[in-house]
Amino acid sequence: MIHWKQLSKIGASSQAERQALFSEALEHFDLKGMRLQADREYIGQQWFNFLTDQGIDFVIRLRFGDYYDAVDTAGGRTYQEMYDRCLGQGEFCRKRIELSGEFYYLSMRRNPNSQAAVGDEVIIFLSRVRPFKKTVDEYCKRWRIECLFRHLKTNGFGLKALNLKPTAKSNLMMSLICLAYAITIQAGWKARSTIRRITSTAQGGFAAESIFRRGTKFGHRPTRPHEPLHPLSGWARTAP
């Protein structure tokens, strides 16, 4: 399920805009008891309260320094001590903190990506319920949506270059492109056994191309003279 709303602006959404989006989604989907995994821009007490009222759990990534004072005033290890232990010893750290009269958990774990950029060596989260290492490890699955964004915008479908202004047209195009992406991944997944692997002692080997890239090859194969030359025609034939 993909639910979105075009904001017609640059930058992150406001707390009110997020609430409006989720209110629309709640009219069609039962999200109670589900867990939201969100990136660093999606914080704010009003937003946290809204999610709690809707019965939606959350694990939201934080920037370094977010709620620094709240951690230090909660007693025990300071924010910096937690960070240093996590970075230096790989320890999973968490602390219960209070924000505007409500209680949350701030947790830290070392970034599983050994090649993480400077400043991203430790991933910091905020959650409503007491987290375990496995809980925040699930957040790494959220990074997969970044692959979707990259392929839709620039790496495959070029949605960014279209620069459609009318909302109705851009929404229609987004729907079609998301469908094409899903079919592409499905086609690539079915053909994953044909992807050549590159042997590497250090990394244990890796695929020479991505599932997405292999899937696009099914969408660009030649058509017969009587067949329509349409990028979706190849994907449609490979889908079950």
Side-chain angles (χ1 to χ4, degrees), residues 51-169:
L51 294 173
T52 301
D53 292 343
Q54 300 302 322
I56 301 174
D57 189 15
F58 57 84
V59 177
I60 298 178
R61 188 177 179 186
L62 302 176
R63 300 181 182 89
F64 177 84
D66 285 342
Y67 311 121
Y68 193 105
D69 293 338
V71 173
D72 286 358
T73 57
R77 294 176 184 168
T78 66
Y79 188 103
Q80 191 63 52
E81 288 172 342
M82 290 174 61
Y83 185 90
D84 292 341
R85 289 181 70 91
C86 183
L87 179 62
Q89 303 177 27
E91 180 179 336
F92 173 67
C93 302
R94 62 175 173 240
K95 181 185 279 193
R96 189 168 182 253
I97 64 174
E98 183 177 358
L99 301 174
S100 301
E102 300 291 338
F103 288 95
Y104 304 88
Y105 284 91
L106 187 145
S107 55
M108 302 181 184
R109 64 104 64 218
R110 182 186 286 171
N111 195 325
N113 181 6
S114 59
Q115 299 180 345
V118 176
D120 286 339
E121 298 92 346
V122 172
I123 312 177
I124 308 169
F125 303 91
L126 188 77
S127 59
R128 185 72 177 184
V129 298
R130 188 172 185 266
F132 296 91
K133 186 173 182 294
K134 182 179 179 180
T135 306
V136 297
D137 281 351
E138 292 178 355
Y139 175 87
C140 296
K141 297 178 181 179
R142 194 212 68 84
W143 285 332
R144 297 175 184 174
I145 196 67
E146 300 296 339
C147 295
L148 168 66
F149 295 153
R150 181 163 57 90
H151 292 319
L152 295 192
K153 292 169 64 177
T154 58
N155 196 44
F157 293 104
L159 190 59
K160 185 176 181 179
L162 293 178
N163 195 27
L164 293 175
K165 297 299 183 181
T167 301
K169 289 185 177 180

Side-chain angles (χ1 to χ4, degrees), residues 190-209:
K190 289 177 65 176
R192 66 188 183 280
S193 61
T194 65
I195 299 176
R196 182 174 61 89
R197 293 193 62 80
I198 298 176
T199 303
S200 172
T201 303
Q203 302 181 24
F206 55 92
E209 63 180 345

Side-chain angles (χ1 to χ4, degrees), residues 9 21 30 39 41 45 48 105 125 145-146 178 180 192 195 223 227 239:
K9 71 173 189 178
L21 174 66
D30 182 12
D39 208 358
E41 296 84 3
Q45 192 61 52
F48 299 154
Y105 284 91
F125 303 91
I145 196 67
E146 300 296 339
C178 284
R192 66 188 183 280
I195 299 176
T223 59
E227 292 179 329

